[in-house]
Amino acid sequence: MSIEFEKFHGTGNDFVVVDADEYVPDRGAFAREVCDRRDGVRLTDGGAADGGATTAPTDSVGADGALFLALEPKFSPPRAVMTLVQPDGSTAAMCGNGARCAAKWAAERTGADTVMLDTQAGTRRAEISDDEVTIEMGAPSFAPGDVPLAPDREQPLVEETVEGVEVTAVNTGVPHAVAFVEDVDEVDLDAVAPAVRHADAFPEGANVTFASRRSEAGDGDTVAFDQRTYERGVEGETSACGTGAVAIAAVARRAGEIDGDASVGVFPPGGRLGVTFRGERASLTGPAEREFTGEISSTPEPRRVSEA
Ligand SMILES: N[C@@H](CCC[C@H](N)C(=O)O)C(=O)O
């Protein structure tokens, strides 16, 4: 069995995009296989890709997740149902950069410049231009039940020490523990983030996002932050995280560090993301690009639990 895919990235956060009509009986097993940075999707010459043909390690690309997209083009604007399956086989309710890639994918198929995306975190409107996609991200929530925090917790977790790191917990579609530090590049993410990601405070886990404020903002931004995020499901650092960028802006806003209408530039290792607010609702802007298309030569079949 072989299936077609497209490889996209949003500010360096990269995804294998699969039309939901393709036969993938076990999405978790598929994502574990194709996202593997060593043995997953690989580039071959001429920009095509094949899941099993190439062996040169320098050509390995993997991905931060597999996006399954079900297009419903008969609506105006067109809609797509987005499901993100992560490299560990788990499903995430929302992905800011993945949603921007999904919107670009749907726009390329339909010619529309507005797309509605149905995610597990809600329906999100996306506006697509030549080089950027802006997506509505909803209202970030600090409420203990929304993050979620431990069931006996009644107050938001704000500037509290969790596993040695002072964090604020917010849900921007998925949970984030946000820590402001002097310099994100000084943080040993692999050493400190896993304990926070798995802390009892977060019964469903959390993405761990570090931020430091830049002394100057540019590009029309009112304020700018550097970002590094350790992602749940990837279990490592990614080049960018859209929900993390919104989380930084939301926590800074809650702390009164930025004005309600500020245009916030967030700089993960992969580039720049823009965050703005209309009332309590956030929007996320950044580049989304198709890198190449290909076929994956084998589709993992569902495994019995005893084989897993
Ligand atoms: N990279 C994403 C976030 C994906 C979900 C996350 N790993 C989780 O499990 O919550 C983004 O751009 O927002």
Side-chain angles (χ1 to χ4, degrees):
M1 179 67 64
S2 101
I3 67 150
E4 292 178 4
F5 71 91
E6 291 168 67
K7 179 80 185 349
F8 275 76
H9 83 90
T11 325
N13 204 185
D14 60 341
F15 305 94
V16 170
V17 178
V18 178
D19 191 316
D21 284 345
E22 295 278 355
Y23 175 69
V24 182
D26 185 337
R27 289 179 168 184
F30 176 85
R32 280 193 291 272
E33 195 164 300
V34 302
C35 294
D36 190 295
R37 292 279 175 205
R38 197 167 54 85
D39 295 320
V41 168
R42 293 170 174 213
L43 263 183
T44 58
D45 55 352
D50 184 302
T54 309
T55 51
T58 50
D59 286 343
S60 299
V61 288
D64 295 324
L67 285 171
F68 292 92
L69 303 178
L71 185 63
E72 298 178 353
K74 64 178 182 295
F75 292 102
S76 180
R79 305 181 76 94
V81 180
M82 174 182 111
T83 306
L84 170 66
V85 188
Q86 310 209 75
D88 68 353
S90 66
T91 300
M94 181 54 181
C95 175
N97 291 327
R100 295 188 307 97
C101 292
K104 181 88 172 184
W105 176 91
E108 285 181 352
R109 276 175 152 64
T110 59
D113 52 16
T114 300
V115 169
M116 304 301 285
L117 285 179
D118 292 318
T119 77
Q120 290 170 22
T123 298
R124 304 286 182 244
R125 183 186 186 91
E127 307 286 346
I128 302 97
S129 66
D130 281 348
D131 48 3
E132 291 204 315
V133 177
T134 297
I135 183 141
E136 290 177 348
M137 295 289 287
S141 176
F142 296 84
D146 290 344
V147 174
L149 301 174
D152 56 350
R153 174 103 194 186
E154 289 175 2
Q155 297 301 320
L157 193 159
V158 178
E159 295 172 12
E160 284 184 31
T161 301
V162 175
E163 301 294 333
V165 184
E166 188 183 291
V167 297
T168 295
V170 60
N171 186 305
T172 53
V174 291
H176 280 265
V178 179
F180 284 92
V181 293
E182 200 58 32
D183 180 358
V184 290
D185 292 328
E186 295 291 312
V187 177
D188 185 346
L189 211 57
D190 288 333
V192 300
V196 181
R197 179 257 180 267
H198 291 286
D200 292 343
F202 307 113
E204 294 179 14
N207 300 284
V208 185
T209 291
F210 284 84
S212 44
R213 188 166 176 161
R214 289 189 167 190
S215 50
E216 286 178 18
D219 291 336
D221 295 328
T222 325
V223 59
F225 295 93
D226 288 314
Q227 171 189 12
R228 288 179 66 200
T229 296
Y230 182 99
E231 284 197 40
R232 181 183 70 164
V234 176
E235 306 310 330
E237 183 173 8
T238 51
S239 293
C241 177
T243 50
V246 174
I248 291 168
V251 172
R253 204 166 175 250
R254 188 183 203 282
E257 274 189 45
I258 58 176
D259 292 338
D261 59 358
S263 169
V264 184
V266 182
F267 293 83
R272 177 188 175 276
L273 291 162
V275 181
T276 55
F277 288 87
R278 180 175 293 175
E280 295 307 307
R281 300 179 71 79
S283 290
L284 174 74
T285 300
E289 283 176 39
R290 177 152 52 80
E291 297 177 284
F292 58 89
T293 62
E295 279 188 14
I296 292 167
S297 54
S298 69
T299 304
E301 292 291 327
R303 286 179 293 179
R304 289 193 299 275
V305 173
S306 59
E307 292 175 325

